[in-house]
């Protein structure tokens, strides 16, 4: 029998290592220091510059020195300078390097640096002139700092996002933006789409944060480089670039429920090539306790504490990147391999003991980009993605009968982008993409009855124009795309003696969008957007999968009419006290032929076109400095996801899994060498069914964390999640973990 909240042997070893370093940190003698330098790196408009390299040297001929990087707020810190007199050099991509002599005895220990823009070939685009600083879309950029948890937990605190989970670390999790379904959200990794025609939504719980440096969340409108057929929005994960200094990084973590993580990364250069290699392993038994009502909600006599079983999870990520210059152009090669192995525990009151689900995914990508013509740039990208899933339920514990499926999804794509600047104030972006997806299901129990492969081929053309007016005080964008799809679906019969059908179809999807941004003052801007988006049903929605989902071959494509309008206040972030960012937006999305998975019983769900839906709400986001070292960031969203289907029992009701209120706030305190943070998340109740008869209770969660730096190479971190031990459930009655802790240590070796 497994013990609850007990580390396995590897977990004990990691825990002992972390405890040893913590003891050393607490009882070590203070490091002698002569001076401390901190401040912010900002652009000419006072906006923060993240990942800027700050180097301190004692003389111009000193090749060593001390260095650090600025965070997402532009903050940098050099805690132990060897001398109060020296030179500071600040470097950042897209900005002119700045070198300044400094004497802390006269200038003080807080110094801000302002960098000027410089035309530079960057990873994603060629910058030839400053564009309008007011983007017309509502975008939130999350810098992935060193914290415990997974991608689902990180996204759950973002503005307008809502994640739904089946359990603890690594469990199946989906993401919703502005009340959308997971199918309506496009998720990219370094520009490669993770959504596939096979469907089912992207399981963000199985995606590792290892190597991810930044996450961009586009709410509502989708940029042209991502296509545009996204009713909900876009989540784009960017891995670390190749510009980092040559270094080796080690990471170890241990926590509740036998959770453990080990990571290694190394970056450097070999001749003209720059490279990055990374390996990360994480696992958890997820043996947390939960309150089991035994399926009798109104009978408390049989309620008892139970331990989650068959909920273990293990995952491995191996990431490799390499790139070099070819004249004025750049060539980059990426390879990402993700493997996960986990159990499917089933409902809290009816746990499965043997059901397993394994995933293996490999993405290979080649990028070639650089200047094309005078005032223009180009990018050519080719990628190959392969994912293999194995679902094993030999006892029929979760699905409808015995299941042992081995499915493979292969995607290959070729994409070209061209950017041209016309007449100094109009920017044109055009793209063309070819993509082919191949879904091959295999029934290991009934090899002679395995369905044939399904295919989807698509060709897409898109164009976006951006025009600046009145000295860039007003900017407007107009764009659209057209996509032609050719499908071959294989529909299995419903009964054991029914024949299967192969359906072929050809369709055209198109989308159009328009947006406007206006700079009302130096700190306030207004933004507005309106667009039409369409999404074709996936293979998963059409013919089901994994036993627990029944397909529906009669589904129609979804159509969304999205619009939003709002104001953004952005102040220079060099104040000791004050509001640095405040954003408020109203959105209104009308969806026709909305596809929703409806839970028909405790074990089976089926997708339906529920007619019409109206999704509207108000989003707010803020960042404020309470004191010089105390910063608060957060967001609040009110939404009304109204079902407008013509059926009386559901018309006017809330759509499933769409809470009306969500609040998230984080307070961080930094005082070298310590840093601490506190976060709370509140969510109102929501419903699992269309008639709003099965509610999910509201939740209030608290998380705390602290970290300490030992010199410039070692960092210790301790975190506790769900401090109040609030026992909550999520999708279809799947319980979530209670109170949990994590201890971590990181060591970075810088190579000359």
């Amino acid at each position: 029998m497994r013990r609850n909240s007990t580390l396995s042997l590897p977990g004990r070893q990691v825990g002992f290592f972390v405890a040893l370093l913590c003891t050393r940190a607490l009882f070590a003698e203070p490091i002698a220091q002569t001076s401390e330098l901190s401040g912010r790196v900002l652009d000419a408009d006072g906006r923060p510059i993240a990942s800027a390299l700050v180097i301190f040297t004692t003389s111009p001929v000193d090749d060593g020195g001390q260095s650090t990087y600025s965070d997402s707020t532009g903050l940098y810190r050099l805690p132990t300078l060897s001398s109060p007199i020296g030179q500071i050099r600040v470097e950042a991509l897209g900005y002119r390097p700045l070198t300044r002599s400094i004497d802390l005895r006269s200038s003080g220990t807080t110094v801000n640096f302002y960098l000027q823009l410089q035309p530079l070939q960057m990873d994603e685009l060629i910058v030839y002139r400053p564009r309008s600083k007011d983007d017309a879309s509502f975008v939130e950029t999350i810098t992935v700092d060193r914290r415990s948890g997974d991608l689902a937990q990180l996204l759950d605190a973002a503005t307008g996002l809502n994640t739904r989970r089946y359990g603890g670390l690594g469990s199946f999790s989906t993401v919703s933006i502005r009340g959308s379904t997971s199918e309506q959200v496009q998720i990219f990794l370094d520009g490669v789409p993770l959504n596939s025609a096979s469907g089912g939504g992207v399981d963000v719980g199985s995606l590792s944060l290892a190597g991810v440096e930044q996450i961009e969340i586009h709410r509502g409108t989708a940029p042209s480089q991502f296509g545009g057929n996204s009713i909900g929005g876009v989540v784009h994960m960017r891995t670390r670039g190749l510009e980092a200094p040559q270094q080796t990084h080690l990471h170890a973590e241990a926590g509740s429920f036998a959770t453990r993580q080990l990571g290694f990364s190394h970056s450097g250069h070999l001749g003209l090539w720059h490279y990055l290699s990374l390996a990360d392993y994480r696992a958890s038994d997820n043996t947390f306790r939960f309150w089991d009502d035994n399926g009798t909600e109104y009978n408390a006599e049989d309620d008892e504490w139970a331990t989650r079983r068959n909920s273990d999870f293990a995952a491995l990520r191996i990431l490799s990147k390499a790139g070099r210059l070819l004249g004025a152009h750049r060539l980059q090669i990426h390879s990402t391999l993700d493997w996960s192995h986990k159990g499917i525990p089933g409902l809290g009151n009816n746990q499965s003991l043997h059901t397993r689900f394994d995933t293996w995914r490999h993405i290979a990508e080649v990028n070639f980009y650089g200047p094309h013509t005078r005032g223009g740039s180009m990018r050519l990208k080719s990628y190959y993605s392969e994912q293999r899933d194995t679902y094993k339920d030999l006892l029929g514990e979760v699905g409808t009968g015995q299941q042992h499926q081995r499915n493979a999804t292969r995607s290959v794509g070729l994409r070209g982008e061209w950017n041209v600047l016309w007449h100094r104030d109009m920017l044109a972006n055009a793209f063309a993409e070819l993509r082919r997806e191949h879904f091959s299901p295999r029934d290991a129990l009934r090899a002679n009855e395995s369905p044939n492969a399904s295919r989807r081929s698509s060709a897409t053309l898109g164009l976006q124009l951006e025009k600046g007016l009145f000295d860039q005080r007003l900017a407007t964008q107009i764009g659209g795309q057209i996509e032609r799809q050719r499908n071959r679906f294989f529909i299995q019969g419903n009964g054991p003696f029914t024949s299967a059908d192969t359906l072929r179809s050809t369709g055209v999807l198109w989308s159009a969008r328009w947006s406007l941004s206006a700079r009302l003052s130096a700190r306030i801007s207004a933004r507005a957007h309106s667009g039409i988006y369409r999404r074709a049903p996936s293979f998963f929605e059409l013919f089901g999968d994994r036993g627990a989902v029944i397909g529906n071959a009669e589904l129609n494509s979804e159509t969304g009419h999205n619009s939003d309008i709002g104001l953004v206040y952005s102040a220079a972030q060099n104040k000791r006290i004050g509001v640095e960012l405040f954003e408020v937006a109203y959105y209104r999305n009308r969806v026709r032929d909305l596809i929703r998975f409806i839970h028909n019983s405790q074990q089976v769900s089926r997708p339906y076109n529920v007619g019409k839906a109206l999704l509207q709400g108000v989003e707010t986001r803020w960042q404020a400095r309470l004191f010089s070292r105390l910063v608060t960031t957060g967001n609040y969203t009110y939404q009304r996801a109204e079902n407008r289907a013509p059926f009386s029992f559901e018309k006017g009701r809330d759509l499933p899994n769409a809470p009306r209120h969500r609040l998230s706030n984080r307070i961080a305190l930094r005082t070298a060498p310590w840093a601490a943070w506190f976060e709370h998340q509140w969510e109102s109740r929501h419903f699992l069914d269309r008639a709003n008869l099965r509610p999910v209770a509201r939740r209030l969660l608290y998380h705390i964390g602290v970290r300490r730096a030992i010199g410039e190479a070692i960092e210790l971190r301790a975190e506790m999640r769900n401090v109040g031990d609030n026992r909550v459930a999520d999708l279809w009655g799947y319980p979530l973990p209670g109170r949990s802790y994590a201890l971590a240590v990181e060591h970075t070796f810088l190579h000359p």
Side-chain angles (χ1 to χ4, degrees), residues 209-402:
L209 282 174
V212 177
E213 186 176 53
Q214 196 176 75
I215 301 176
E216 298 173 359
I217 302 172
H218 301 263
R219 309 190 305 273
T221 180
S224 60
Q225 63 265 31
F226 298 128
N229 284 327
S230 176
I231 296 178
V234 170
V235 176
H236 184 209
M237 296 176 289
R238 296 181 185 270
T239 57
R240 288 167 47 189
L242 299 175
E243 299 82 11
Q246 186 167 338
Q247 63 181 9
T248 301
H249 182 79
L250 301 177
H251 171 86
E253 182 175 329
S256 301
F257 322 125
T259 300
R260 57 270 188 197
Q261 182 175 1
L262 293 172
F264 163 84
S265 67
H266 177 72
S267 60
H269 62 88
L270 184 62
L272 298 177
W273 289 88
H274 289 256
Y275 64 87
L276 167 67
S277 58
L278 177 147
D280 183 83
Y281 170 79
R282 57 192 179 118
S284 178
D285 288 352
N286 282 325
T287 51
F288 56 88
R289 300 182 68 201
F290 67 97
W291 188 248
D292 185 7
D293 63 2
N294 278 298
T296 56
E297 182 179 357
Y298 301 103
N299 180 17
E301 297 296 329
D302 58 353
D303 294 356
E304 60 181 353
W305 286 103
T307 300
R308 203 64 167 132
R309 307 174 65 182
N310 192 40
S311 187
D312 58 289
F313 166 79
L316 175 67
R317 163 167 285 188
I318 299 177
L319 171 67
S320 301
K321 301 176 70 173
R324 60 161 297 175
L325 289 173
L326 295 175
H329 297 76
R330 187 172 182 86
L331 175 67
Q332 283 195 180
I333 303 173
H334 300 187
S335 175
T336 306
L337 176 64
D338 286 313
W339 168 86
S340 67
H341 174 73
K342 58 187 173 184
I344 305 296
L347 295 173
N349 54 47
N350 185 23
Q351 297 195 72
S352 67
L353 304 180
H354 306 91
T355 307
R356 311 294 298 178
F357 183 60
D358 299 337
T359 300
W360 178 90
R361 179 194 295 115
H362 178 242
I363 298 175
E365 177 186 2
V366 178
N367 277 286
F368 180 74
Y369 56 92
H372 176 52
T373 58
R374 185 177 181 181
S377 63
M378 53 78 65
R379 172 183 290 270
L380 297 178
K381 173 189 295 186
S382 63
Y383 60 87
Y384 173 79
S385 172
E386 181 175 354
Q387 177 172 327
R388 295 182 178 271
D389 300 328
T390 300
Y391 177 80
K392 191 174 183 179
D393 183 13
L394 299 181
L395 301 180
E397 297 175 300
V398 176
T400 54
Q402 296 180 336

Side-chain angles (χ1 to χ4, degrees), residues 577-596:
I577 299 177
V579 177
E580 299 176 340
L581 172 69
F582 185 80
E583 177 182 290
V584 58
Y586 167 77
Y587 65 88
R588 179 183 175 90
N589 302 339
R590 293 177 292 118
V591 184
R592 293 182 303 171
D593 295 322
L594 178 67
I595 299 176
R596 285 278 184 176

